[in-house]
Amino acid sequence: MTTALPAGRGTPRRSDLRLLVESLRLDARVFRRNLWFNRVAASFAVPKVLRRTLYRLGGMAVDSFVVSPACRFEGDPRNVRIGARSYLNLQCYIEAVAPVEIGVDCAVGMQTMIITSDHRGPGGTWRSQASGLPVVIGDRVWLGARVTVLPGVTIGDDVVVAAGAVVAADCLPRGVYAGVPARRVREVGPSRIGAGEATT
């Protein structure tokens, strides 16, 4: 005696096929984006002047000629805006699920991370579906090496953030911030950071 398989067993359903096709389309889109921004444009073989052109052709609003190699961009490239003369050191990571705006004459240290995807739920819970919170970095801001900027943060003009700090809340203008989480440790005058200077 044979037992009939329940309906849908052993053969893929239309909804499964649609899900598979949509997943493949998404993978192809992510692959093309990563190839363009994180392999071709980020290559050490590409001069900085040409790198800006490649970013702009891909939809990013980049006015700076001093974005270093090996920087990584995730999310929607149309969400990224980098102001004139702002310097990004090696291996910066920008996750542009929501808009990321970097002002003019900024210096961003190596391996700095700017994150916009937020998984916080009500009452301190965690949600699997991320929402995007924008990050705004003002003019003449200096982020030291390995600074982490969390979703929804605004950093005011003429701010210095010490290496390794985690910026979890807004930073008011003309101050030095340090620590985990970053706190204002002293006041400063207008920053003298020049475009193209190394940050550590």
Side-chain angles (χ1 to χ4, degrees), residues 103 106 136-143 153-161 167 169-175 177 184 191:
C106 294
V136 177
I137 297 171
D139 298 335
R140 300 172 303 279
V141 171
W142 182 5
L143 304 180
V153 164
T154 295
I155 298 176
D157 296 344
D158 301 300
V159 163
V160 176
V161 181
V167 184
D170 292 353
C171 298
L172 297 177
R174 296 191 178 183
Y177 288 76
R184 193 177 184 97
S191 175

Side-chain angles (χ1 to χ4, degrees), residues 22 42 57 88 97 136:
E22 185 57 35
L57 287 173
L88 273 66
V97 172
V136 177

Side-chain angles (χ1 to χ4, degrees), residues 78-90:
R78 295 169 297 181
N79 281 336
V80 177
R81 180 174 297 276
I82 301 173
R85 300 175 304 280
S86 284
Y87 174 68
L88 273 66
N89 210 325
L90 296 168

Side-chain angles (χ1 to χ4, degrees), residues 54-80:
L54 293 175
Y55 286 151
R56 289 166 72 108
L57 287 173
M60 287 170 56
V62 179
D63 292 328
S64 174
F65 287 104
V66 282
V67 178
S68 297
C71 290
R72 186 170 185 86
F73 295 90
E74 300 289 350
D76 189 343
R78 295 169 297 181
N79 281 336
V80 177

